[in-house]
Amino acid sequence: NSFNENGRTNPEDGGSVLLMGGGQELGRRGGTENVPYIVGMGRAAKMLLEKRHSAFGNVDGWKYNSKHMEAMRKRLLLNLIQGLGEGKSGEVMSIVRTNGPSDPKQRLPNTLSVGLKDIRSGVLLANIGNIVACSAGSACHSSFSQTMSYSAILKAMGVPPEYAIGTLRLSVGPDTTEDDVDFASEVIVEEAKKQLGF
């Protein structure tokens, strides 16, 4: 149960309420709608409609953007695999592992969640965060151990700990170029190689 402020109750069932709303919310919700976010969502929808027809023939602009972002995401993944695929001894190692659906068509076109085996993503981000914008996919500590905590979502997805602690979330956009992707992946690969000692 929650506070029963001034004897007010839930207008639908007469029970106590978790959050007390003001009169503008008919007593159902505390606070006021986030008007700037609502306006922003409306503006985003308007921009999508304005760009509906692209300069690429009859292809809707958003469909073109989706295909472009998917191509950039694939290139980013391929660059990481090619850059980190060789271990110290020259044997092919499975250092890079994608997180999420095994079918790439079921993934978001603009987002890559990738685990880098035995990499500490927090350390990696600390060293490249001013060069490449990316985020860690796990809430791990700065020192490595097999018992280190990481995202409950990654655990639920069955991501092995040695990959989860090195998970990065990388995003591309409609204006991302091949040069952008190549530069970012080169920076990530070089920093990961430092951590791996090769």
Side-chain angles (χ1 to χ4, degrees), residues 11-118:
E12 293 180 11
D13 64 12
S16 62
V17 293
L18 181 62
L19 295 173
M20 298 301 298
Q24 81 279 14
E25 300 294 337
L26 302 175
R28 293 190 178 130
R29 178 181 178 276
T32 303
E33 288 85 1
N34 188 337
V35 176
Y37 280 22
I38 294 169
V39 171
M41 179 61 82
R43 179 65 180 128
K46 184 177 180 182
M47 289 171 64
L48 179 65
L49 291 176
E50 288 169 354
K51 294 182 179 183
R52 185 173 180 144
H53 299 290
S54 71
F56 306 101
N58 292 330
V59 178
D60 283 345
W62 68 269
K63 288 181 182 176
Y64 172 80
N65 285 344
S66 178
K67 290 184 183 305
H68 170 75
M69 289 185 292
E70 184 177 3
M72 294 299 99
R73 183 198 72 209
K74 287 179 181 177
R75 183 181 184 100
L76 180 57
L77 176 60
L78 182 63
N79 286 353
L80 293 174
I81 291 170
Q82 289 176 341
L84 294 170
E86 295 292 320
K88 290 182 186 178
S89 63
E91 297 175 358
V92 175
M93 296 176 65
S94 181
I95 294 174
V96 180
R97 178 190 192 275
T98 56
N99 301 320
S102 57
D103 180 359
K105 292 181 181 182
Q106 293 182 352
R107 299 179 192 153
L108 291 173
N110 68 317
T111 306
L112 175 64
S113 175
V114 63
L116 305 177
K117 186 177 181 183
D118 298 329

